[in-house]
């Protein structure tokens, strides 16, 4: 099982290579939260790497940014009541950490399906 910190660092190294991908790693301070929320509202997809306790997942949802959850065994809040698959995309750690795989899958994601999830 990969540790959360290793996943974050590896994802950052992979995603920094793309000009059209904004990967932000910041400390939760007022200004950082504001900038992050603005970025989510301008994005089609928002990465949530295995941090169910983070409020980023809910910020993504209210920002109409489709959450992209990278995890092997995430337990999401209220998952017995909420079908996250209706509005989120899931990747295993292996998929997310394979250079190019996740970005290519998201670039090829059907627009109609994205609109449905976005709504």
């Amino acid at each position: 099982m990969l540790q959360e910190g290793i996943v974050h660092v590896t994802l950052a190294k992979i995603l920094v290579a793309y000009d059209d991908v904004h990967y932000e790693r910041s400390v939760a301070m007022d200004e950082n939260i504001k900038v992050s929320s603005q970025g989510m509202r301008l994005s089609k997809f928002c990465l949530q790497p295995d941090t169910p306790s983070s409020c980023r997942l809910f910020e993504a949802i209210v920002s109409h940014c489709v959450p992209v959850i990278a995890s092997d065994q995430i337990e999401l809040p209220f998952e017995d009541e909420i079908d996250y698959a209706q509005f989120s995309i899931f990747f295993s750690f292996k998929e997310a950490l394979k250079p190019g795989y996740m970005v290519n899958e998201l670039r090829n994601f059907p627009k109609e399906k994205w609109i449905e999830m976005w709504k």
Side-chain angles (χ1 to χ4, degrees), residues 11-24:
L11 281 172
K13 288 179 182 177
I14 292 169
L15 298 175
V16 74
Y18 297 94
D19 292 335
D20 60 341
V21 174
H22 177 75
Y23 182 86
E24 179 181 304

Side-chain angles (χ1 to χ4, degrees), residues 12-81:
K13 288 179 182 177
I14 292 169
L15 298 175
V16 74
Y18 297 94
D19 292 335
D20 60 341
V21 174
H22 177 75
Y23 182 86
E24 179 181 304
R25 183 168 182 161
S26 61
V27 178
M29 294 177 7
D30 287 344
E31 186 59 33
N32 291 345
I33 292 170
K34 184 187 291 185
V35 169
S36 180
S37 295
Q38 290 170 346
M40 286 184 186
R41 285 192 295 275
L42 298 172
S43 300
K44 291 174 72 172
F45 301 105
C46 291
L47 182 62
Q48 311 298 317
D50 196 22
T51 51
S53 61
S54 169
C55 61
R56 299 272 171 129
L57 174 61
F58 302 104
E59 290 173 354
I61 293 167
V62 299
S63 298
H64 292 280
C65 185
V66 173
V68 175
I69 299 170
S71 178
D72 289 329
Q73 299 181 28
I74 194 167
E75 292 183 26
L76 296 166
F78 308 109
E79 63 187 353
D80 291 339
E81 306 294 324

Side-chain angles (χ1 to χ4, degrees), residues 85-99:
Q86 288 185 346
F87 57 86
S88 304
I89 301 170
F90 292 84
F91 290 95
S92 69
F93 282 144
K94 182 179 179 181
E95 292 169 329
L97 298 177
K98 182 179 176 184

